[in-house]
Amino acid sequence: MDSALVDVVRRSNASGALLYVLSPEGNALWLTVLTGAPRETFAPWTRVALTDPIPVADAVRERRLVWISGQEAMARQYPRPALVLPYDFALAAAPISSETAVLGGLVLLWPGSRPPQLSQHERGVIHAGCRRLGNTLQEAADRGDPLLPADQPRTLPPQTGRSLSPAESREVSAFLDRLPEGACALDLNGRITFITQAAADLVGVDTADLLGALPWEVLPWMDVPQVEDRYRAALVSRQSQVFTVVRPPDVWLTFELYPDSSGISVRIRRSEPAEDAQATHPEAPAGPGRATVLYHLMHLAATLTEAVGAQDVIEQTADQLLPALGAQGMVVMTAEDGRLKILGHRGYSAELLDSFTDVPLSSDLPGVRVLSTGVPGFFANFAELQRVYPSTMHEDGMAAWAFLPLIASGRPVGSLLLAYNRPHIFAPSERAVLTSLAGLVGQALDRARLYDAKHDLAHRLQSALLPHTLPDIPGLKVAARYLPAARGLGIGGDFYDLIRLDECTAAATIGDVQGHDVDAAALMGQVRTAVHAHATVGAPPDHVLAAANRLLIDLDPGLFTSCVYAHFDLGRQRACVATAGHPPPLLRHADGRTELLRVSPGLLLGIDPDALYPTLEFTMPAGSVLALYTDGLVEAPGVDLDDATMALAGLLEDADPTDLDAMADMLIRHAPAPSDDIALLLISPQLAASTPACPSEG
């Protein structure tokens, strides 16, 4: 297997390769062997799920060759890997198959300076190499050899140049020692394998202490982000890199890195601060360093996975991105009905952006063009912007702009404007980082807008199914409240209803359908309708719940429902209640005493077609208050449910029974932060119920 991997690298002129093997479960890829690259650099991809958005996963899952021509293509198509490896390199990923099955995947790496397309010869080499690797893996599997790594993936030793005789080695060493500048060599893991005395003198440490060490570990003043970053850039891109650091207190040293497949040759020389600022740090005035930017962007990537709605995405993007990049303004735009729509902004006034809202997509504006074409635009100053868009007015007071496409599923779903209050040169590396960022934001925004649409649909569906107003029933005073769950959850299936049966009787119901989605809201409407229909024909509470239970079992929605149904005889001042796995009602007596109605609960609706629902009759005179509620009013993490119910009873006892609206508002205010929907129905008989039309008890 090792020789097959080395052969495909050599014949394709690749700089490195990674060999993945499919797990026995068939849902993940394990990195088993790599060559031409340090293991630490690719540590984030040691184990890859087939659903991960990276090239090798796509190649194996879709059984096709994936080609990434360079840094810009990687940033556009695979923004997450591009954030971790923001360097200029090309990549090919292909599935490894035997005659009968897909067994893994192969990743080949090239410098970004190579031609942008794979040649037919290279494609043939890759396909032939994958076939050979597939056959080798299949033979190993047939022998019972373990294919997955026991611990860490193996790293094949690099191919070295010709061997030197002892005499030649002495001459090379003498040649280097005579040079006025220092030189050293690093292996693929960054450790020093050779260093001249001049180089040791320049860095101020004995040669013996340097050999075998990582420079940024043995030299504390080199433990800065740019040093390891430039080393990784040299290894991955196979292109020379330069950086300058200061050796305390005031010795400036420039390091030039020249990589190949075996390691890195380093040239070390003295330099001046002015030379460093101009030659090796042209991007420094533009904002924070790359390590800071990548930290914020990786943090943003993590937080965006938790964002729910579009506004969450916009707020988190602004919170993370603006300080990371030193930008002062941000606008997120999308298209709607052929016009530009501003979804959110930071650092701009709403009045200014109002003039750009609803402009046609045919307008020659940078935000519109990026949205239409998917091609980013970078403008270091207003003169550059005006050259491309002559009609643009300098209205926002900013000095530099980046217009980035928000791409999801291969199509632009919006555009992102970043603005700076000073002129800002967008170096190629920064453009790639910004493009990667835009890809992450675009994917998160697309998911969030889909969530918003579903959330809005569910809310509108539930609002349509809940009663808009409760009927005015002589002899009853009522108040109802509904509070949606905290943002980030779907809509629930809480419902309530008040039903006028005849001149002397009424009914009330409250319930909670399992789930937080459109299905729950739709089922809620069916349950409420069923309860209402059976109530209006005069069925007693246990029969009403039994009928609703049979309906749910016939529908077989896979969801269960809790419910309370109460029947009121207004003339006799009596009530009868039955429950189906629902929190028991609370009754506040006219004297203020509050009790939990301990009615024997039946099973949740939708479980057992033969379930029985015991009833409880009780006196409900004028001035008493019956509280029906869903569990969102009392449930909270870490709080005992019985204690929470007793606390609710205490609040009910202390409230004014003559003002049910104030009582309802007070109970809602004291509810825990809702992780579930809350429905509340308060019912109080009034003296007007004793009318000649309604015979009273006795």
Side-chain angles (χ1 to χ4, degrees):
M1 185 166 60
D2 292 355
S3 62
L5 184 62
V6 171
D7 184 64
V8 72
V9 170
R10 178 183 57 79
R11 295 181 60 209
S12 64
N13 291 316
S15 56
L18 297 86
L19 175 64
Y20 285 88
V21 172
L22 194 63
S23 67
E25 300 79 14
N27 61 356
L29 293 165
W30 288 81
L31 179 59
T32 58
V33 184
L34 69 162
T35 182
R39 187 170 58 200
E40 290 76 11
T41 300
F42 294 92
W45 302 284
T46 299
R47 184 183 185 277
V48 175
L50 282 185
T51 55
D52 283 352
I54 71 168
V56 69
D58 284 353
V60 173
R61 187 180 64 253
E62 300 170 10
R63 301 195 179 191
R64 65 181 178 92
L65 176 67
V66 175
W67 169 245
I68 306 299
S69 60
Q71 186 177 19
E72 183 178 341
M74 178 68 82
R76 185 171 60 251
Q77 298 177 50
Y78 297 96
R80 291 187 190 178
L83 282 178
V84 182
L85 295 175
Y87 312 123
D88 192 17
F89 67 98
L91 175 151
I96 295 175
S97 304
S98 67
E99 297 294 332
T100 58
V102 175
L103 299 175
L106 173 67
V107 177
L108 294 171
L109 308 172
W110 289 268
S113 56
R114 60 149 291 136
Q117 299 296 329
L118 279 173
S119 67
Q120 286 299 115
H121 170 73
E122 289 170 327
R123 288 179 179 272
V125 168
I126 295 171
H127 290 149
C130 287
R131 284 196 302 271
R132 181 181 173 190
L133 286 167
N135 293 334
T136 303
L137 288 173
Q138 187 63 61
E139 291 170 1
D142 294 341
R143 292 192 304 269
D145 295 343
L147 299 182
L148 299 182
D151 185 15
Q152 294 290 334
R154 293 185 298 109
T155 301
L156 300 184
Q159 294 185 1
T160 58
R162 67 183 182 90
S163 299
L164 299 179
S165 66
E168 288 176 316
S169 297
R170 288 191 296 271
E171 288 299 323
V172 169
S173 178
F175 165 76
L176 292 173
D177 286 337
R178 285 192 293 267
L179 296 177
E181 299 167 346
C184 71
L186 308 178
D187 64 16
L188 292 178
N189 295 313
R191 297 192 178 277
I192 300 172
T193 58
F194 170 83
I195 187 166
T196 64
Q197 186 59 51
D201 293 341
L202 285 171
V203 300
V205 176
D206 289 341
T207 301
D209 295 328
L210 293 168
L211 288 174
L214 294 170
W216 44 87
E217 290 182 353
V218 72
L219 304 171
W221 44 272
M222 292 191 74
D223 187 16
V224 292
Q226 70 176 37
V227 172
E228 189 171 357
D229 178 63
R230 290 301 87 202
Y231 153 73
R232 292 182 183 274
L235 279 182
V236 175
S237 70
R238 286 293 194 269
Q239 296 173 1
S240 61
Q241 304 289 327
V242 179
F243 63 86
T244 301
V245 292
V246 61
R247 192 195 87 190
D250 55 4
V251 178
W252 289 82
L253 298 175
T254 293
F255 294 77
E256 300 173 8
L257 280 58
Y258 301 95
D260 69 5
S261 60
S262 63
I264 299 177
S265 297
V266 183
R267 178 188 178 199
I268 309 172
R269 58 184 174 84
R270 286 181 177 268
S271 62
E272 299 295 329
E275 175 189 349
D276 167 64
Q278 173 118 14
T280 64
H281 297 290
E283 300 176 56
R290 171 172 291 174
T292 302
V293 171
L294 288 179
Y295 168 79
H296 283 280
L297 296 188
M298 294 304 293
H299 186 63
L300 174 63
T303 56
L304 284 181
T305 63
E306 302 171 0
V308 179
Q311 289 306 311
D312 284 343
V313 171
I314 292 167
E315 291 301 315
Q316 291 180 16
T317 298
D319 290 343
Q320 296 294 327
L321 184 61
L322 296 184
L325 299 176
Q328 285 71 45
M330 185 191 86
V331 181
V332 178
M333 298 159 276
T334 191
E336 193 170 284
D337 299 326
R339 293 183 174 273
L340 188 71
K341 180 181 179 182
I342 307 295
L343 292 181
H345 56 89
R346 181 77 64 83
Y348 280 97
S349 68
E351 294 76 16
L352 174 63
L353 296 180
D354 283 345
S355 60
F356 294 95
T357 301
D358 291 331
V359 300
L361 293 184
S362 58
S363 305
D364 190 26
L365 296 172
V368 172
R369 185 180 296 183
V370 170
L371 179 59
S372 303
T373 64
V375 178
F378 301 94
F379 305 96
N381 50 57
F382 182 69
E384 289 187 6
L385 179 63
Q386 198 168 43
R387 275 198 298 271
V388 181
Y389 299 95
S391 61
T392 300
M393 303 295 292
H394 198 172
E395 302 176 86
D396 64 356
M398 297 295 183
W401 302 264
F403 293 89
L404 306 165
L406 302 179
I407 305 294
S409 301
R411 59 183 177 84
V413 297
S415 57
L416 173 68
L417 164 64
L418 294 173
Y420 301 76
N421 60 11
R422 295 183 179 180
H424 184 98
I425 297 174
F426 297 94
S429 59
E430 185 176 8
R431 294 185 183 205
V433 168
L434 294 179
T435 304
S436 299
L437 162 77
L440 290 175
V441 176
Q443 293 169 12
L445 184 63
D446 195 46
R447 293 193 304 270
R449 296 191 73 196
L450 179 61
Y451 169 85
D452 285 342
K454 291 182 177 179
H455 197 262
D456 180 63
L457 172 62
H459 270 293
R460 287 189 286 112
L461 176 61
Q462 187 179 45
S463 298
L465 294 173
L466 286 173
H468 296 288
T469 58
L470 295 177
D472 184 12
I473 300 177
L476 276 187
K477 196 173 184 180
V478 297
R481 296 292 185 271
Y482 170 74
L483 184 67
R487 182 168 179 82
L489 296 177
I491 190 68
D494 287 19
F495 65 92
Y496 60 88
D497 204 358
L498 181 69
I499 308 164
R500 179 173 182 163
L501 301 178
D502 57 32
E503 294 299 323
C504 302
T505 58
T509 186
I510 196 165
D512 184 1
V513 177
Q514 175 191 34
H516 291 87
D517 53 22
V518 175
D519 292 337
L523 185 61
M524 173 269 288
Q526 293 173 305
V527 174
R528 176 174 168 255
T529 300
V531 170
H532 196 110
H534 289 282
T536 55
V537 299
D542 54 337
H543 289 187
V544 170
L545 291 184
N549 178 52
R550 287 191 295 271
L551 170 69
L552 258 69
I553 289 176
D554 290 341
L555 291 174
D556 192 22
L559 300 174
F560 305 125
T561 301
S562 69
C563 187
V564 171
Y565 179 82
H567 180 274
F568 305 101
D569 186 326
L570 304 180
R572 297 174 59 236
Q573 296 187 341
R574 300 281 294 175
C576 182
V577 65
T579 77
H582 198 85
L586 288 168
L587 177 63
R588 186 189 191 279
H589 295 276
D591 61 4
R593 179 175 55 89
T594 299
E595 69 169 314
L596 189 70
L597 294 180
R598 300 190 180 279
V599 55
S600 298
L603 290 175
L604 291 167
L605 304 179
I607 295 179
D608 180 3
D610 300 320
L612 299 177
Y613 298 95
T615 59
L616 175 70
E617 288 197 26
F618 55 95
T619 301
M620 197 171 169
S624 60
V625 180
L626 182 68
L628 307 178
Y629 54 93
T630 56
D631 54 10
L633 188 64
V634 290
E635 282 190 348
V639 177
D640 181 79
L641 185 58
D642 291 338
D643 293 342
T645 304
M646 289 301 99
L648 179 65
L651 293 172
L652 194 66
E653 193 168 285
D654 295 337
D656 181 3
T658 64
D659 189 346
L660 293 191
D661 283 321
M663 179 185 285
D665 290 339
M666 183 269 295
L667 295 178
I668 292 293
R669 279 198 308 273
H670 285 83
S675 59
D676 197 0
D677 292 12
I678 295 174
L680 172 66
L681 191 59
L682 301 177
I683 304 144
S684 178
Q686 303 299 297
L687 290 175
S690 297
T691 64
C694 297
S696 60
E697 187 174 20

